[in-house]
């Protein structure tokens, strides 16, 4: 069929443009991880032996001032990032100091024994100690950044929330064969993406779907069969690390176009940018998590007028939407893309947003049988 002629041309262009900067962060060996943890503990022991209060120095991952935009990688951490000092003798940081040491101890044992644990396993071993799963997650990212070790090399896995479907088969690290080709059900994204091997796919493209509801709609309407061969994946909103790792793994292996289908609102755009350029809190792992070749397939703000979406299905901007869109417009990865800027300006001018589901008001199957096929056939992405 000629429906993939334009997509195939795009694939060839993307493969020709693959650059030296388009590389993954290498895993760190187990002995190296152990050595880095031992170095941190040794510093603490020396401080105590000298009668000084031990401290831990962790990088500030929450400020935009500490990241820079690299066009072929995304948001990367600056080399001169200010550090926060966690002191054991300071009431405001003593608890964080103790929890960091506790988690370092757990990680050391896991790496030493070559075993793995999920973040939830660690938390529920002593929920009163950590207080919340969010606290543990944040400390784990601090440790990963402090040691300059990708989180997967710390032997701590995260339970995946994403799903994937389409023309894709692979083997898990334990040898389990996974077939994602069922047209009616999806497969959970692996909790150990790094261990996946023997990926087999004839897919022409990968479609990132922002929301689970839209993803399920595509499954119900047999989208992967209608536009076969393809792969669809969702992180169910703001993507977890495993969903981002999976998109990156597929891009590294298949080198096929990756499109994003998100709501025409500021938060949909930001979610798409996380897949494409990464996030400031995990900028230190950008090489493993970002796919700068991601293209915006829809829902474009200009599509609202182009397809005459009924006014009653549109949603007026809130104050939070206005703040978010103003924030987006200040970011380097938006200002370097004139086509994206124009779409964001259109949204801001209309002061309205639209969810993907609004296309159903035109016709029940408009999204899967008209909108997406035409976008892919005629190159309606930016």
């Amino acid at each position: 069929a000629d429906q993939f002629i334009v997509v195939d041309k795009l694939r060839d262009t993307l493969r020709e443009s693959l650059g030296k900067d388009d590389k993954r962060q290498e895993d760190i060996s187990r002995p190296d991880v152990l050595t880095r943890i031992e170095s941190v503990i040794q510093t603490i022991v020396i401080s105590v032996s000298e009668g000084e209060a031990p401290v831990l120095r962790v990088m500030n991952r929450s400020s935009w001032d500490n990241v820079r935009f690299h066009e072929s990688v995304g948001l990367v951490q600056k080399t001169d990032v200010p550090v926060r000092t966690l002191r054991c003798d300071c009431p405001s940081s003593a608890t964080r100091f103790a929890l960091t040491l506790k988690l370092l101890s757990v990680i050391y044992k896991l790496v030493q024994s070559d075993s793995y644990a999920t973040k939830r396993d660690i938390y529920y071993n002593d929920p009163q100690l950590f207080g919340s799963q969010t606290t543990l997650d944040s400390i784990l990212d601090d440790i990963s950044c402090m040691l300059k070790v990708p989180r997967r090399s710390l032997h701590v896995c995260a339970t995946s929330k994403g799903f994937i479907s389409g023309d894709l088969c692979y083997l898990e690290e334990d040898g389990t064969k996974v077939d994602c080709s069922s047209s009616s059900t999806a497969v959970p994204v692996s909790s150990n993406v790094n261990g996946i091997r023997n990926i087999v796919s004839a897919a022409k493209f990968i479609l990132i779907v922002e929301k689970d509801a839209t993803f399920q709609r595509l499954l119900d309407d047999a989208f992967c069969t209608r536009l076969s061969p393809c792969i669809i994946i969702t992180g169910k909103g703001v993507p977890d690390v495993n969903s981002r790792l999976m998109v990156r793994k597929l891009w590294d292996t298949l080198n096929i176009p990756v499109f994003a289908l998100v709501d025409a609102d500021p938060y949909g755009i930001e979610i798409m940018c996380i897949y494409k350029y990464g996030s400031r809190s995990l900028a230190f792992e950008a090489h493993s998590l970002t796919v700068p070749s991601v293209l915006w397939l829809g829902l474009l703000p200009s599509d609202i007028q182009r397809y005459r979406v009924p006014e009653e299905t549109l949603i007026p901007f809130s104050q939070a939407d206005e703040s978010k869109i103003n924030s987006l417009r200040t970011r380097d990865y938006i200002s370097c893309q004139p086509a994206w800027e124009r779409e964001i300006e259109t949204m801001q001018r209309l002061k309205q947003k639209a969810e993907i589901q609004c296309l159903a008001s035109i016709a029940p199957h408009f999204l899967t049988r008209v909108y997406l096929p035409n976008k892919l056939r005629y190159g309606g992405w930016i």
Side-chain angles (χ1 to χ4, degrees):
D2 62 354
Q3 63 180 342
F4 293 124
I5 290 177
V6 179
V7 173
D8 285 342
K9 288 181 179 178
L10 173 63
R11 178 201 61 202
D12 294 340
T13 302
L14 291 173
R15 288 178 177 178
E16 289 173 4
S17 65
L18 285 174
K20 294 180 180 179
D21 289 322
D22 203 14
K23 61 184 178 181
R24 292 177 65 89
Q25 182 180 1
E26 295 297 325
D27 283 345
I28 309 297
S29 68
R30 286 173 53 217
D32 197 2
V33 175
L34 295 175
T35 299
R36 296 184 190 198
I37 296 174
E38 289 165 1
S39 177
V40 172
I41 302 304
Q42 185 179 38
T43 301
I44 290 174
V45 171
I46 291 173
S47 295
V48 172
S49 67
E50 294 176 349
E52 299 175 357
V55 300
L56 289 170
R57 291 179 175 83
V58 296
M59 293 186 180
N60 184 348
R61 299 180 295 106
S62 61
S63 174
W64 284 103
D65 293 334
N66 297 333
V67 297
R68 62 182 177 85
F69 173 60
H70 190 298
E71 194 167 343
S72 63
V73 180
L75 295 175
V76 296
Q77 194 171 60
K78 293 180 180 178
T79 55
D80 56 346
V81 176
V83 296
R84 292 184 294 119
T85 301
L86 303 180
R87 300 183 61 89
C88 69
D89 61 347
C90 177
S92 63
S93 64
T95 300
R96 187 90 175 187
F97 177 93
L99 292 178
T100 302
L101 283 186
K102 170 63 177 177
L103 192 50
L104 276 170
S105 171
V106 171
I107 291 168
Y108 190 88
K109 291 175 183 176
L110 288 171
V111 176
Q112 193 175 45
S113 62
D114 197 19
S115 54
Y116 290 81
T118 67
K119 292 190 296 183
R120 291 183 68 80
D121 288 338
I122 296 172
Y123 172 69
Y124 281 110
N125 276 339
D126 199 340
Q128 289 186 328
L129 177 66
F130 287 101
S132 72
Q133 183 74 59
T134 303
T135 298
L136 186 148
D137 295 352
S138 176
I139 293 173
L140 180 62
D141 287 338
D142 280 345
I143 290 173
S144 179
C145 186
M146 176 175 64
L147 299 178
K148 293 183 171 56
V149 173
R151 198 167 67 182
R152 60 188 174 278
S153 295
L154 298 178
H155 287 228
V156 180
C157 305
T159 303
S160 297
K161 68 172 185 173
F163 285 92
I164 190 166
S165 183
D167 189 303
L168 176 66
C169 292
Y170 57 85
L171 293 181
E172 292 276 13
E173 189 171 38
D174 62 3
T176 303
K177 183 178 180 180
V178 179
D179 187 348
C180 305
S181 61
S182 171
S183 61
S184 58
T185 58
V187 173
V189 171
S190 173
S191 293
N192 183 14
V193 175
N194 193 53
I196 289 174
R197 52 195 168 89
N198 294 13
I199 293 176
V200 178
S201 175
K204 297 286 189 178
F205 64 91
I206 300 163
L207 180 64
I208 297 168
V209 183
E210 176 191 348
K211 295 190 298 191
D212 184 48
T214 305
F215 183 84
Q216 293 300 325
R217 180 61 187 266
L218 296 184
L219 286 181
D220 293 343
D221 211 18
F223 175 82
C224 290
T225 301
R226 291 177 182 278
L227 273 83
S228 180
C230 69
I231 298 169
I232 60 174
I233 183 170
T234 181
K236 299 171 71 172
V238 177
D240 59 329
V241 168
N242 287 325
S243 295
R244 294 169 61 186
L245 282 171
M246 190 68 179
V247 174
R248 175 68 198 225
K249 181 101 173 182
L250 292 174
W251 161 246
D252 282 335
T253 305
L254 305 175
N255 294 150
I256 55 178
V258 182
F259 300 111
L261 177 65
V262 299
D263 288 339
D265 68 20
Y267 293 92
I269 295 171
E270 181 157 64
I271 286 170
M272 175 173 56
C273 289
I274 290 174
Y275 284 104
K276 186 175 176 74
Y277 294 125
S279 60
R280 60 186 174 185
S281 63
L282 294 179
F284 63 95
E285 280 205 66
H287 281 281
S288 300
L289 292 173
T290 63
V291 183
S293 61
V294 168
L295 294 159
W296 189 0
L297 187 67
L299 181 66
L300 302 180
S302 58
D303 289 337
I304 296 171
Q305 295 175 313
R306 183 178 298 113
Y307 291 98
R308 298 181 181 178
V309 176
E311 184 73 25
E312 60 270 19
T313 65
L314 304 181
I315 306 168
F317 255 30
S318 66
Q319 188 60 49
D321 292 322
E322 193 68 48
S323 297
K324 177 60 67 176
I325 204 166
N326 286 331
S327 172
L328 284 170
R329 294 191 67 178
T330 65
R331 300 180 193 175
D332 292 341
Y333 56 63
I334 296 294
S335 59
C336 74
Q337 298 189 88
W340 283 37
E341 273 198 311
R342 287 194 294 271
E343 291 293 338
I344 292 174
E345 287 169 3
T346 297
M347 184 190 302
Q348 194 166 32
R349 185 179 70 254
L350 295 174
K351 293 193 180 298
Q352 289 178 316
K353 57 185 181 179
E355 297 182 334
I356 300 165
Q357 292 92 322
C358 74
L359 295 176
S361 63
I362 300 174
H365 301 287
F366 187 81
L367 172 66
T368 54
R369 302 187 187 182
V370 179
Y371 182 81
L372 291 176
N374 284 346
K375 284 266 183 177
L376 292 163
R377 181 187 293 266
Y378 301 112
W381 54 76
I382 58 174

